[in-house]
Each structure stands twice: as C-alpha cells, then as structure tokens.
C-alpha cells in the first residue's frame, strides 16, 4: 500500500450531536428530539475532506479499544484512508465530544480528549515519524493535544521537507489555561508552520487587532509562509509574503456549521497539493466549507465533483 500524501496528528473523535430546539443556559432543561452520532475531530475531519477530494490521507496517533474506536476506524476505511498510523491502547477510552446544535446551526462543543491527548514526543519519534516523512503535507492543531508532541511532529515534518499545516483552533489563553502548552511553545509551533489557520479568537488575541487583513499580515511575521482566515459567509483571506487576497464565499442553505473550518483546511491542503495559487486555493477551500454547512455533522464533506460544480456555478 502506498504511503499517504497527507497525514495528520490531532483530535480524532466520535461526535454526539444533540439537535436541540435552542441552546440553553445554566439550570435549564429541555427535551431533545434527535441524537446523531458521527466520527469527527479537527484534524481527522480535514484529512477526511482531503480523502473525499481524491488524495490519499491518513490520521496518526493513539486510540482506545472501545466502541468509539471502532466507529473512528470504520469511517476512515469507508473514506479509503490509511489507518496504519493508528495505535490502539488496550483498556483506554477514545476521544469523543458532545455537541448541541440549534435550528439556526449554532452549536456548543464539549471535548473529551482521553487517550488521544496522551501521545508523547518519544512516541512521535519512535512510532509515527515514518508516516510523517513519507507524506507531502502534515496537518496538526492546537485544540486537544499538548503542544510538546505536536511540535516534535512539526519539527520532523519540516526537516523532511513536508509542508506543515497548523490549525490554531482555540484561543491561546484558553489553551494555556488548560495546561496544554506555554507561550514559548506556541511561538515555536508558529515558527514551524508553513500554513496557519487560526480561529478568530486566536487571531485577535495574537495580533491585538480586529481588521482581518492586518491580522493576517501580523501573523505572517510569526513565521508561516501562508495565513488563512475564514470569515463565514464573507469567504476568507489568504495572506502570503506577496500580499493578501480576499476570496468571496458561497451562498448556501446553512443547516449545521460544525466542521466547516475543517472542510476549509482540507480543501486548502488539497488545492495547494495540486499546485493551485493562493486565490484559487482559497476559493476552492471556501466551496468545501460551504458544502459542509448544507448537511448535519462535521464529516458532511463533499467529493471533488460537488466542489467543482459549486465553483462552476
């Protein structure tokens, strides 16, 4: 079996979606008419988008030997993904999330990282490094895993000439408060990133500005060669040393926004893998994100034909 072109280390979960009439606050109760269960997780999701577009991808890391692990593995196999980089740890529980989603598509996410977040730098070097070195793109994130093993994986990728994608999925303040890393470690991770996609809260916190173009330009100074900022229905900004490009979004019937950012990064990775420039890659990624919003679930991601059809429209 050929090595995966795109591999990733990061969150890999089973998502339990409660489709609720409204999002409630403290001390409230509400009846929920529907529960849906899907495989999910930031990095696992964007790798899935890559696979559905037609490139070979695979997730690397630790999983438990529970029922959730079976769901994760089965979904990867259905999408034709490489599962050789998954190491099962007996007696452990795999990662999962609880996600209430209201009728407007707004949601909350409660994350339980479990064994997935206990991967170490030594395990990265001893067990997972060959998968990273054999790839063309490496994806990772700041979300559930501690930064130390993430940085080790990024370092291995950079030394091997593998393009590094870093999804800064939570605000640094919250990440530090959770004990998952330090400011110095985040600085190091940013310096290893070739492509950075920060969430809005992270971009604002790191730059101290609100204007997206200034955010992107300031973040480029931290080390990445490309910064991608998603802006919902307005599309995205893609910034490189050559300049900042605004790529308009697509108007679709939004059902659930969960996973849209993951679909975006997967689409961006695929487009760059196939030699598309920043403007074209950003528009392609926007189409992937828009289509993901039209169905329920973080893995509501489209194949290449659907993406090309939306682009053509």
């Amino acid at each position: 079996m050929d090595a995966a072109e795109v591999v990733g280390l990061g969150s890999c979960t089973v998502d339990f979606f409660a489709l609720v009439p409204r999002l409630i606050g403290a001390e409230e109760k509400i009846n929920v008419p529907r529960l849906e269960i899907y495989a999910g997780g930031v990095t696992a999701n964007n790798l899935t988008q890559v696979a559905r577009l037609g490139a070979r991808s695979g997730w690397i890391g630790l999983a438990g030997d529970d029922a959730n692990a079976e769901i994760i593995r089965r979904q990867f196999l259905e999408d034709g993904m490489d599962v050789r980089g998954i190491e099962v740890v007996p007696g452990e529980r795999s990662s999962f999330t609880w996600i209430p989603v209201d009728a407007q598509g707004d949601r909350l996410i409660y994350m339980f990282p479990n064994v997935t977040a206990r991967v170490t730098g030594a395990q990265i070097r001893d067990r997972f490094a060959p998968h990273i070195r054999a790839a063309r793109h490496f994806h990772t994130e700041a979300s559930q895993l501690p930064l130390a093993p993430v940085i080790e994986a990024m370092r291995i990728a950079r030394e091997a000439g593998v393009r590094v994608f870093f999804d800064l999925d939570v605000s640094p303040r919250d990440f530090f408060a959770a004990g998952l890393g330090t400011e110095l470690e985040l600085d190091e991770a940013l310096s290893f990133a070739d492509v950075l996609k920060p969430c809005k809260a992270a971009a604002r916190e790191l730059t101290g500005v609100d204007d997206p173009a200034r955010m992107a330009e300031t973040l480029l100074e931290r080390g990445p060669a490309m910064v991608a900022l998603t802006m919902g229905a307005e599309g995205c900004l893609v910034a490189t040393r050559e300049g900042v490009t605004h790529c308009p979004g697509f108007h679709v019937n939004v059902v659930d926004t969960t996973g849209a950012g993951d679909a975006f990064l997967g689409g961006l990775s695929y487009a760059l893998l196939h030699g598309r420039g920043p403007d074209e890659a950003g528009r392609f990624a926007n189409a992937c994100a828009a289509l993901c919003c039209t169905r329920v679930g973080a893995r509501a991601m489209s194949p290449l034909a659907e993406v090309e059809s939306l682009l053509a429209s």
Side-chain angles (χ1 to χ4, degrees), residues 28-163:
E28 291 187 89
K29 287 183 180 180
I30 195 168
N31 287 321
V32 177
R34 192 165 142 209
L35 175 70
E36 297 189 5
I37 302 172
Y38 302 95
V42 172
T43 296
N45 290 343
N46 59 60
L47 294 171
T48 297
Q49 178 65 88
V50 170
R52 291 188 186 174
L53 291 168
R56 184 160 178 76
S57 68
W59 183 83
I60 59 175
L62 305 180
D65 61 353
D66 54 355
N68 285 347
E70 290 301 314
I71 294 173
I72 290 167
R73 181 181 173 85
R74 182 170 65 248
Q75 184 63 69
F76 281 157
L77 290 173
E78 287 179 6
D79 283 310
M81 294 171 66
D82 188 350
V83 298
R84 292 173 296 178
I86 300 175
E87 180 161 329
V88 174
V89 183
E92 292 288 352
R93 178 176 287 175
S94 300
S95 179
F96 67 94
T97 62
W98 284 102
I99 308 176
V101 182
D102 70 13
Q104 287 71 48
D106 294 324
R107 86 281 193 196
L108 304 171
I109 302 177
Y110 300 92
M111 302 185 296
F112 301 82
N114 299 327
V115 72
T116 304
R118 294 201 284 275
V119 67
T120 65
Q123 289 171 324
I124 298 296
R125 291 188 298 273
D126 297 341
R127 307 177 191 182
F128 302 118
H131 298 279
I132 298 171
R133 294 191 184 106
R136 293 175 60 194
H137 285 181
F138 171 69
H139 287 231
T140 192
E141 66 185 65
S143 177
Q144 297 185 15
L145 275 63
L147 275 179
V150 166
I151 290 169
E152 185 62 30
M154 295 173 88
R155 180 183 294 110
I156 290 166
R158 286 295 294 269
E159 290 174 352
V162 178
R163 182 185 272 155

